[in-house]
Amino acid sequence: GNSVTQMEGPVTLSEEAFLTINCTYTATGYPSLFWYVQYPGEGLQLLLKATKADDKGSNKGFEATYRKETTSFHLEKGSVQVSDSAVYFCALSDNAGNMLTFGGGTRLMVKP
Amino acid sequence: EAGVVQSPRYKIIEKKQPVAFWCNPISGHNTLYWYLQNLGQGPELLIRYENEEAVDDSQLPKDRFSAERLKGVDSTLKIQPAELGDSAVYLCASSLGSDRGETQYFGPGTRLLVL
């Protein structure tokens, strides 16, 4: 079956530091890949997505590239802010009805 | 545009009691999903609807869980009777369709505590 593995947190960074959150997946066929973010007290929000190999998704300074050869979709941001503190979820959807399979989430804490 | 609406936001019940959660998807979204999110974990799919039809309920524990989506709009998820292990956040999501890569929009969730 499908699975998503992401690095465990919490990840603690100082403001303006570089961020990488690793995500790897196992799936048959050609899944679509997503990063969702959950801010404190709020619901899941789509951060970015990529639907085919070598696509780069980007939003709010975050980006991730769909790497089929390494089955990865790592999330990066060049300079994090305190407001980026949240839980980040990597997810994939396959051809069978677009059902999402999520990783366990990575909590990011950014200190001023 | 209004997002996915869920109610209640919080619910505390005693074990063996029934409980129901309600979801109103984004207008025009034909596909509706219910997910379960345990503490510190990612959401897991319970059931998917295409309009009023439940097209994938393989992960729904049918001995105690039931769901319906009358008229293909609002949906209700019920647990009867609730068990201690059902304490979790129940998330509803909707999307225009179910093509691969279609964005799912999530509601704020209902946090259930079973005592």
Side-chain angles (χ1 to χ4, degrees):
Chain A
N2 298 334
S3 67
V4 175
T5 302
Q6 56 182 110
M7 61 191 292
E8 291 191 15
V11 174
T12 303
L13 297 173
S14 297
E15 205 165 24
E16 299 184 1
F18 184 86
L19 168 71
T20 299
I21 300 179
N22 290 336
C23 171
T24 57
Y25 67 90
T26 301
T28 55
Y30 301 92
S32 294
L33 301 173
F34 304 80
W35 277 101
Y36 277 84
V37 58
Q38 191 168 35
Y39 296 103
E42 299 184 18
L44 283 165
Q45 302 175 24
L46 178 68
L47 181 59
L48 55 84
K49 70 179 183 181
T51 58
K52 61 183 187 294
D54 299 325
D55 269 3
K56 178 185 287 188
S58 61
N59 186 25
K60 299 181 181 180
F62 291 89
E63 60 182 34
T65 301
Y66 187 163
R67 301 288 189 197
K68 189 165 179 61
E69 63 276 14
T70 54
T71 61
S72 65
F73 193 54
H74 304 322
L75 182 68
E76 297 182 337
K77 186 175 186 182
S79 176
V80 293
Q81 305 300 312
V82 173
S83 57
D84 294 327
S85 298
V87 181
Y88 292 80
F89 292 92
C90 185
L92 68 82
S93 73
D94 60 15
N95 293 319
N98 198 37
M99 292 173 290
L100 289 171
T101 299
F102 285 87
T106 302
R107 181 175 299 278
L108 170 66
M109 295 188 293
V110 181
K111 296 184 176 181
Chain B
E1 177 183 280
V4 176
V5 179
Q6 290 187 248
S7 69
R9 291 294 307 276
Y10 305 93
K11 189 73 176 180
I12 301 174
I13 61 172
E14 293 188 348
K15 62 181 180 182
K16 300 185 181 179
Q17 295 300 305
V19 64
F21 314 124
W22 175 80
C23 173
N24 180 244
I26 293 173
S27 177
H29 281 196
N30 296 322
T31 308
L32 184 146
Y33 309 79
W34 283 102
Y35 289 87
L36 165 69
Q37 185 176 19
N38 287 304
L39 187 64
Q41 299 182 22
E44 299 175 7
L45 182 74
L46 288 172
I47 189 169
R48 173 173 68 97
Y49 280 93
E50 294 289 348
N51 298 302
E52 67 275 10
E53 182 181 0
V55 294
D56 189 330
D57 62 357
S58 58
Q59 302 303 312
L60 190 72
K62 298 181 185 63
D63 56 336
R64 297 184 299 108
F65 286 65
S66 64
E68 60 182 13
R69 191 183 184 198
L70 300 177
K71 301 181 181 179
V73 182
D74 295 359
S75 178
T76 302
L77 179 68
K78 299 179 181 178
I79 308 174
Q80 183 171 9
E83 297 179 352
L84 294 177
D86 296 332
S87 296
V89 178
Y90 292 83
L91 298 170
C92 180
S94 71
S95 61
L96 279 172
S98 58
D99 290 340
R100 183 182 66 83
E102 191 81 55
T103 298
Q104 294 183 28
Y105 297 85
F106 284 81
T110 296
R111 186 176 298 275
L112 173 67
L113 178 60
V114 182
L115 301 176

